[in-house]
Amino acid sequence: MDRFHKAFEMAVKAHENQIRELTGSPVIVHPLAVMGILRNFGIKDEDILIAAVLHDVVEDSSITLEEVKKEFGDRVADLVDQVSKKQDKTYPIRDESGVVLKMADLIHNGLCMPKDNEKKINNYIRRVDLIIKNYPQLMNSYPEIFKYLKKILKKVKALR
């Protein structure tokens, strides 16, 4: 079985019977959407795409970072660790790949943002503003994903 299938199976198991608060849909939809966003913006790096599928498994289930590392290697585990909620408030993310993964995560979260939750909206705006402020150099490396993140940010700001 290839690494993508293993990642998908791990994510499905980790998110079994979990419902996403923002949308009411199964949680597994979110990491698959994040991977799809990355693919749509031309990201082909297998480790980044696998980390996208697994980015919430450690924080949302009993799966440990060590299990991710054992199954998928140091880099995937590091990327999952970089974008986990425990890292979310601290920034900086340790490398460019982690930032790109976080931008895709934020794009999908912004697309799902409810109109009636000012706390979530304000938190989202703060997180996106931190990415834009702390990683302006990525506008040159990944201009399309940066541009789209700013577009989603504008739409979320309009919800206030």
Side-chain angles (χ1 to χ4, degrees), residues 2 4 9 20 22 33 52 59 88 103 107 111 121 127 132 136 139 144:
D2 71 18
F4 280 109
E9 283 187 356
R20 195 151 191 252
L22 282 177
E59 64 191 58
D88 195 40
M103 285 193 298
I107 286 170
L111 290 169
I121 291 169
R127 291 164 59 208
I132 292 168
M139 282 189 250
E144 294 303 314

Side-chain angles (χ1 to χ4, degrees), residues 17-62:
N17 299 320
Q18 293 178 350
I19 302 297
R20 195 151 191 252
E21 182 183 334
L22 282 177
T23 62
S25 63
V27 168
I28 191 63
V29 171
H30 172 67
L32 297 179
V34 171
M35 184 186 77
I37 289 166
L38 290 166
R39 292 283 298 159
N40 285 338
F41 283 104
I43 305 299
K44 295 179 176 131
D45 183 302
E46 187 175 280
D47 286 342
I48 296 172
L49 297 173
I50 287 170
V53 173
L54 299 173
H55 80 273
D56 285 334
V57 298
V58 173
E59 64 191 58
D60 290 347
S61 75
S62 62

Side-chain angles (χ1 to χ4, degrees), residues 5 28 38 49 55 62 68 71 83 90 106 108 110 115 117 119 121 129 138 144 157-158:
H5 285 102
I28 191 63
L38 290 166
L49 297 173
H55 80 273
S62 62
V68 173
E71 192 66 43
V83 299
T90 59
L106 289 168
H108 189 251
K115 291 186 230 179
N117 194 324
K119 183 178 177 181
I121 291 169
D129 283 343
L138 292 183
E144 294 303 314
K157 284 182 175 180

Side-chain angles (χ1 to χ4, degrees), residues 94-111:
R94 293 182 290 279
D95 67 36
E96 191 172 282
S97 298
V99 178
V100 170
L101 175 53
K102 190 63 182 178
M103 285 193 298
D105 181 36
L106 289 168
I107 286 170
H108 189 251
N109 287 338
L111 290 169

Side-chain angles (χ1 to χ4, degrees), residues 92 110 112 136 146 156:
C112 300
F146 233 100
V156 171

